[in-house]
């Protein structure tokens, strides 16, 4: 690890690239937002790095580590811009990617489009080999024949190969043997083995995950190598670390090997920020609400940590419809994503009603008010028209805003809808808020909770603008806006621990299970995990280890993941499983036998330089009130003269009564009439409804 003291976070979003320099010794942080450069995301990141260094007044040589999150690999899947990929699989399983689960995500749609496989059929080849479900060999691998198939693929231009054999999760021997032979003969071919990427049951899910990894791996290797070189060229000595979908960090070589683990890295950072700020504010249950320029994300935080799932869908045909995407079996922070960001475009639907998103103006041209050629009304334009944003203080005054372009865009939308422009503007704001509140209601109800148990914690450039009205729709009484909320995801990354998640097959009945063997599996997984963690420089002696298991009743088609008790015995495991099952389904089937499916291990360790404090620039006390402006509030059904405060000039313990607007360079916090607002000890603003 570098001895340089400072940390640099870089989060490349769809509209802005957020950069934060943090000094873990003092807690001092400096934030910069740079417009994302879609044609070459690294260019915007490097330009932003130069500017945030200059703003902080520090040299590149003082940066001890760089933490990065990006949507580049997810976009490659969505846009089908990955590597030319082949698949080598067991004879008879060539078409598993197209057969999938044989489920229609819209049952009565006669023209339904299922996600197209990342590998075309001519590039899906079969190998003569066969393993039984317990991993025993039924047909030995014919390595020579497999090499011949791969040779044809290489001749046809395949750059990356996924290898996924039947039951390789139970015995990786065939995959590793053929993988070694292929690597020796075709040294320029990128190879992904399912037994390394996703050693879990269910052939389609494992194949889909391995193919996705192979599809983005060459891109990841090139992109991360170039980014490392660019950072070194800037004079930054620190290592590069990547945010994972599970809410932890890994080193760059592991990210190059398994880039599929990074697909949800940006959204996971937002959830992690919600958890970190929530803990600092003394909140046990938080609904982390992160809204940027392109999408909004919601995550439930219980007990100070976001919920983690072990699978999600990427590149959906219908973006927010479950079942329409490519299943990816990785550990990921459990997120609800809505196509609602500052750049989401408003338009008249086929039914004549107002619709907002999911199409976005992105970074180029951006909302109409950016003055970059955009002419359609967006959420940001609506927020400007309603008085929530100040045209003269956008990004702290660093970005010029075209108020006339916003007016023209809403005149056009209002004419199409046959309403007044102000009504159209609030309609856009309100539709987006209802979409987010609706998604949150479902997510909270699925876990047997009620919204009033949570505080809504807002991050992202647009999150604090919308949080108050979203909370009102949910019946949430407390809304929190942490310091630096506009770059919350990047701050979350800098505070993240290193983390490794591993899984191994353990398909045995609970009754009579060999718990000595189970402990042996966990020991092996922990050794693998520590080998990865050591390369991050994490403080391994302070690690936390979670032992989990995928379990189900015998005969069921799916399982649940439970935390295992310390006393690993039949009675303790049965009690833990039944408690988790009842929490989800309210009852257990009488007399049903229980079985293990897989064992999971999660290891986390603090990163040097992660820090525990955040201190942003301060303005002199007594200068907090900047003035007043007209701001529209639904509860008043009109615009109200509203006090505007400089966030940087407030002091801990200050109390204010809403309506109020709190401005900082990267975001604006809107609070409605009747709210009691106070500044918490960590600098967060807590708005409560009586």
């Amino acid at each position: 690890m570098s001895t340089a003291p400072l940390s640099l976070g870089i989060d490349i979003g769809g509209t802005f690239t957020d950069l934060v320099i943090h000094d873990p010794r003092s807690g001092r942080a400096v934030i910069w937002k740079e417009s994302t450069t879609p044609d070459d995301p690294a260019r915007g990141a490097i330009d932003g790095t130069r500017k945030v260094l200059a703003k902080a007044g520090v040299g590149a040589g003082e940066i001890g580590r760089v933490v990065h999150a990006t949507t580049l690999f997810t976009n490659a899947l969505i846009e089908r811009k990955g590597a030319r990929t082949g698949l080598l699989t067991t004879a008879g399983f060539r078409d598993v990617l197209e057969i999938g689960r044989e489920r229609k995500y819209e049952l009565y749609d006669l023209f339904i489009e299922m996600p197209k496989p990342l590998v075309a059929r001519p590039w899906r080849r079969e190998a003569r080999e066969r393993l039984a479900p317990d991993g025993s060999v039924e047909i030995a691998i014919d390595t020579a024949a497999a090499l011949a198939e791969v040779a044809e693929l290489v001749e046809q231009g395949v750059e990356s190969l996924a290898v996924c054999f039947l039951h390789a999760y139970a015995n990786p021997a065939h995959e590793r043997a053929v993988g070694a032979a292929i690597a020796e003969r075709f040294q320029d071919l990128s190879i992904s083995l399912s037994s390394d990427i996703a050693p879990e049951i269910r052939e389609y899910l494992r194949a889909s995950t391995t193919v996705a990894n192979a599809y983005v791996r060459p891109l990841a290797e090139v992109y991360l190598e170039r980014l490392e070189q660019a950072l070194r060229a800037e004079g930054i000595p620190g290592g590069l670390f990547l945010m994972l979908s599970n809410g932890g960090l890994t080193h760059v070589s592991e990210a190059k090997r398994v880039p599929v683990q990074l697909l949800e890295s940006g959204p996971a950072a937002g959830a992690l920020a919600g958890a970190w700020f929530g803990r600092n504010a003394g909140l046990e249950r938080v609904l982390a609400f992160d809204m940027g320029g392109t999408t909004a994300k919601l995550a439930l935080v219980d007990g100070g940590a976001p919920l983690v799932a072990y699978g999600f869908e990427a590149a959906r045909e219908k973006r927010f419809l479950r079942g329409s995407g490519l299943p990816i079996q990785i550990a990921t922070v459990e997120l609800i994503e809505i196509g609602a960001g500052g750049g989401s475009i408003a338009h008249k639907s086929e039914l004549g009603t107002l619709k907002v998103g999911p199409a976005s103006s992105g970074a180029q041209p951006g909302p109409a008010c950016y003055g970059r050629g955009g002419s359609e009304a967006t959420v940001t334009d609506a927020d400007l028209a309603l008085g929530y944003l100040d045209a003269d203080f956008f990004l702290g005054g660093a970005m010029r805003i075209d108020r006339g372009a916003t007016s023209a865009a809403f005149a056009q939308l209002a004419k199409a809808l046959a309403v007044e422009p102000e009504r159209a503007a609030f309609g856009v704001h309100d539709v987006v808020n209802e979409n987010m509140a609706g998604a949150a209601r479902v997510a909270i109800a699925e876990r047997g909770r009620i919204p009033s148990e949570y505080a809504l914690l807002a991050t992202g450039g647009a999150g604090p603008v919308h949080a108050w009205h979203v909370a009102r729709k949910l019946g949430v009484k407390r809304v929190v806006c942490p310091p630096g909320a506009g770059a919350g995801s990047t701050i979350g990354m800098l505070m993240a621990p290193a983390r490794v998640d591993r899984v191994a097959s353990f398909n045995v009945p609970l009754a009579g299970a060999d718990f000595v063997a189970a402990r042996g599996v966990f020991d092996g997984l922990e050794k693998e995990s520590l080998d990865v963690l050591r390369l991050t420089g994490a403080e391994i002696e302070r690690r936390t280890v979670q032992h989990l298991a995928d379990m189900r009743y015998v005969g069921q088609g799916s399982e649940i993941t439970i935390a295992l008790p310390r006393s690993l015995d039949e009675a303790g495991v049965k009690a833990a499983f039944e408690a988790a099952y009842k929490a989800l389904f309210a009852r257990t089937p009488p007399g049903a036998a229980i079985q293990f499916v897989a064992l999971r291990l999660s290891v986390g360790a603090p990163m040097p330089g992660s820090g525990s404090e955040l201190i942003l620039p301060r303005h002199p006390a007594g200068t907090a009130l900047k003035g007043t402006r007209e701001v529209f509030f639904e509860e008043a059904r009109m615009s109200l003269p509203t006090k505007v405060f400089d966030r940087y000039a407030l002091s801990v313990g200050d109390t204010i009564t809403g309506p109020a607007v709190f401005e900082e360079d990267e975001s604006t916090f809107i609070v409605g009439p009747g709210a009691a607002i106070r500044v918490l000890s960590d600098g967060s603003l807590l708005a409560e409804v009586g």
Side-chain angles (χ1 to χ4, degrees), residues 435-577:
N435 288 343
M436 290 181 285
R441 287 188 199 100
V442 172
I444 293 170
E446 284 179 343
R447 287 156 187 83
R449 308 284 196 193
I450 57 175
S452 59
E453 296 176 342
Y454 288 83
L456 185 68
L457 192 146
T459 57
V465 180
H466 289 257
W468 174 257
H469 288 117
V470 172
R472 279 177 52 84
K473 289 179 178 293
L474 286 170
V476 169
K477 302 296 185 182
R478 295 174 297 167
V479 182
V480 180
C481 180
S489 291
T490 316
I491 293 168
M493 286 162 29
L494 293 175
M495 307 305 175
R499 176 167 170 161
V500 179
D501 283 89
R502 289 288 186 266
V503 60
S505 176
F506 194 71
N507 198 349
V508 300
L510 174 60
D514 185 345
F515 288 100
V516 173
R519 292 187 187 94
V521 171
F522 280 127
D523 289 344
L525 294 177
E526 186 166 357
K527 182 180 183 304
E528 288 179 28
S529 301
L530 294 181
D531 288 343
V532 175
L533 285 180
R534 286 190 184 94
L535 294 176
T536 68
E539 299 173 13
I540 293 177
E541 65 280 0
R542 295 174 57 197
R543 67 184 179 274
T544 58
V545 181
Q546 279 187 298
H547 295 90
L548 307 111
D550 292 353
M551 301 184 72
R552 64 188 179 192
Y553 286 105
V554 173
Q556 288 184 325
S558 59
E559 54 277 347
I560 63 172
T561 301
I562 69 162
L564 291 172
R566 286 190 176 182
S567 57
L568 199 57
D569 55 49
E570 186 174 328
V573 172
K574 181 180 180 181
F577 172 76

Side-chain angles (χ1 to χ4, degrees), residues 464 468 633 635 642 658-662 669-673 675-677 687-688:
W468 174 257
F633 289 100
E635 49 267 56
T642 303
V661 173
F662 301 90
F669 185 35
I670 305 297
V671 182
I677 307 132
E688 295 185 274

Side-chain angles (χ1 to χ4, degrees), residues 348-369:
K348 181 181 177 180
S349 73
E350 294 176 357
L351 298 175
T353 58
L354 173 64
K355 187 173 182 181
V356 185
S360 174
S361 61
Q364 297 289 344
C369 64

Side-chain angles (χ1 to χ4, degrees), residues 297-511:
K297 281 80 63 177
L298 296 157
L300 295 182
V301 177
D302 284 336
L307 302 179
V308 174
Y310 294 93
F312 77 106
E313 290 180 8
R316 286 175 171 167
E317 288 294 315
K318 295 199 174 179
R319 189 171 183 181
F320 306 105
L321 197 57
R322 187 179 298 176
S324 67
L326 302 172
I328 306 293
Q329 293 297 98
I330 60 169
T332 178
V333 170
E334 202 164 325
L335 296 158
I336 308 103
E337 186 178 9
I338 308 104
S344 295
I345 296 170
H347 60 279
K348 181 181 177 180
S349 73
E350 294 176 357
L351 298 175
T353 58
L354 173 64
K355 187 173 182 181
V356 185
S360 174
S361 61
Q364 297 289 344
C369 64
Y370 285 10
R372 297 173 178 167
S375 60
E376 296 176 289
T378 68
V379 174
T380 296
D381 291 304
D383 294 341
L384 178 64
L386 294 166
Y388 302 143
L389 302 177
D390 182 353
D392 297 324
F393 195 71
F394 200 84
L395 293 185
M399 184 173 176
R400 294 181 63 86
I401 291 298
D402 188 344
R403 190 187 293 272
T406 288
S407 298
F410 271 103
Q412 182 179 346
L413 179 64
K415 182 179 179 181
L417 295 170
V419 299
E420 294 298 316
E422 186 179 67
R423 186 177 177 190
F426 185 74
V428 171
H429 182 85
D430 195 49
V431 165
V432 165
N433 293 341
E434 183 55 48
N435 288 343
M436 290 181 285
R441 287 188 199 100
V442 172
I444 293 170
E446 284 179 343
R447 287 156 187 83
R449 308 284 196 193
I450 57 175
S452 59
E453 296 176 342
Y454 288 83
L456 185 68
L457 192 146
T459 57
V465 180
H466 289 257
W468 174 257
H469 288 117
V470 172
R472 279 177 52 84
K473 289 179 178 293
L474 286 170
V476 169
K477 302 296 185 182
R478 295 174 297 167
V479 182
V480 180
C481 180
S489 291
T490 316
I491 293 168
M493 286 162 29
L494 293 175
M495 307 305 175
R499 176 167 170 161
V500 179
D501 283 89
R502 289 288 186 266
V503 60
S505 176
F506 194 71
N507 198 349
V508 300
L510 174 60

Side-chain angles (χ1 to χ4, degrees), residues 29 79 127 222 232 262 341 553 659 664:
E79 299 167 9
V222 170
R232 283 197 294 268
L262 277 66
Y553 286 105
E664 55 187 333

Side-chain angles (χ1 to χ4, degrees), residues 78-419:
I78 294 170
E79 299 167 9
R80 294 297 198 268
K81 291 183 178 178
R84 293 188 293 272
T85 303
L87 170 66
L88 183 67
T89 189
T90 303
F93 288 81
R94 178 183 186 182
D95 295 319
V96 70
L97 291 180
E98 282 182 289
I99 295 170
R101 289 175 284 199
E102 293 190 317
R103 294 179 188 166
K104 294 174 68 175
Y105 55 87
E106 286 189 315
L107 190 59
Y108 301 109
D109 185 352
L110 299 179
F111 305 99
I112 193 170
E113 288 191 23
M114 301 301 290
K116 293 178 177 61
L118 296 172
V119 181
R121 195 170 194 274
W123 287 354
R124 302 198 297 262
R125 300 301 179 92
E126 298 182 342
R128 290 197 292 273
E129 68 86 39
R130 186 82 176 212
L131 297 175
D134 64 356
S136 59
V137 177
E138 292 186 351
I139 301 174
I141 179 72
D142 187 337
T143 304
L147 286 172
E149 296 285 354
V150 176
E152 287 187 19
L153 293 176
V154 172
E155 287 175 10
Q156 293 172 21
V158 165
E159 305 166 307
S160 188
L161 181 71
V163 180
C164 185
F165 290 161
L166 188 66
H167 302 309
Y169 59 86
N171 181 359
H174 282 184
E175 282 193 356
R176 290 181 180 169
V178 79
I182 294 168
E184 183 178 357
R185 181 166 169 184
F186 306 102
Q187 297 183 9
D188 293 332
L189 185 66
S190 179
I191 303 169
S192 298
L193 306 181
S194 78
S195 50
D196 290 337
I197 306 301
E200 302 187 46
I201 62 169
R202 296 189 176 87
E203 216 62 23
Y204 170 54
L205 305 185
R206 185 160 52 91
S208 176
T209 306
T210 308
V211 165
N213 191 78
Y215 191 72
V216 300
R217 186 172 175 180
L219 173 67
E221 290 171 342
V222 170
Y223 169 76
L224 294 174
E225 184 65 32
R226 285 179 178 171
L227 183 59
E228 275 192 300
Q229 292 174 356
L231 291 169
R232 283 197 294 268
E234 293 297 315
I236 294 175
L240 176 62
F241 301 92
L242 282 302
M243 187 77 201
L244 297 171
S245 302
N246 63 12
L249 300 179
T250 195
H251 56 85
V252 70
S253 58
E254 178 71 1
K256 290 178 182 177
R257 185 184 74 86
V258 196
V260 74
Q261 294 185 46
L262 277 66
L263 292 181
E264 291 286 273
S265 61
L272 205 68
W276 188 78
F277 283 122
R279 290 195 302 270
N280 286 354
L283 301 171
E284 182 71 14
R285 288 183 180 169
V286 168
L287 180 60
F289 168 45
D290 181 41
M291 183 177 178
T294 308
T295 58
K297 281 80 63 177
L298 296 157
L300 295 182
V301 177
D302 284 336
L307 302 179
V308 174
Y310 294 93
F312 77 106
E313 290 180 8
R316 286 175 171 167
E317 288 294 315
K318 295 199 174 179
R319 189 171 183 181
F320 306 105
L321 197 57
R322 187 179 298 176
S324 67
L326 302 172
I328 306 293
Q329 293 297 98
I330 60 169
T332 178
V333 170
E334 202 164 325
L335 296 158
I336 308 103
E337 186 178 9
I338 308 104
S344 295
I345 296 170
H347 60 279
K348 181 181 177 180
S349 73
E350 294 176 357
L351 298 175
T353 58
L354 173 64
K355 187 173 182 181
V356 185
S360 174
S361 61
Q364 297 289 344
C369 64
Y370 285 10
R372 297 173 178 167
S375 60
E376 296 176 289
T378 68
V379 174
T380 296
D381 291 304
D383 294 341
L384 178 64
L386 294 166
Y388 302 143
L389 302 177
D390 182 353
D392 297 324
F393 195 71
F394 200 84
L395 293 185
M399 184 173 176
R400 294 181 63 86
I401 291 298
D402 188 344
R403 190 187 293 272
T406 288
S407 298
F410 271 103
Q412 182 179 346
L413 179 64
K415 182 179 179 181
L417 295 170
V419 299

